[in-house]
Amino acid sequence: MTLAELKTQLLALTPAEKAEVIQTLTQTLSTGSRGITKTPGVCGGDACIANTRLPVWSLVSDRRLGMSDGKILEAFPHLTAADLVNAWAYADANPEEIERAIRENDEVMQ
């Protein structure tokens, strides 16, 4: 397969499929990326950075509050830039899930 053929196939993927591809590529290129997982009983089963209790929705919320990727990495020194790439790709591919989780958390906090 040529690079041009691969590019054509990648462009035809759904957002969720693209997120999976990004996660796979990031994991193979960076030893620091853990991926995104959902574990029943951990953070309500929400999507988290793998092997952490840090939900993707929380990172999205931080970003909306004006935190840059650099500030997020400073606040969570155990994360890598690749972890954030995975989180943003997951959030982009699953916007309804992320919005629901943010809304539910906001309701609990009120």
Side-chain angles (χ1 to χ4, degrees), residues 43-48 53-62 64-65 96-110:
C43 295
D46 288 336
C48 292
R53 291 181 171 267
L54 190 56
V56 173
W57 68 261
S58 178
L59 294 170
V60 170
S61 185
D62 289 341
R64 288 181 183 173
L65 292 172
E96 296 86 11
E97 174 186 335
I98 299 302
E99 291 304 322
R100 177 192 46 76
I102 290 172
R103 187 175 54 253
E104 288 174 357
N105 185 68
D106 286 346
E107 290 170 0
V108 169
M109 297 303 288
Q110 293 179 7

Side-chain angles (χ1 to χ4, degrees), residues 16 37 45:
T37 58

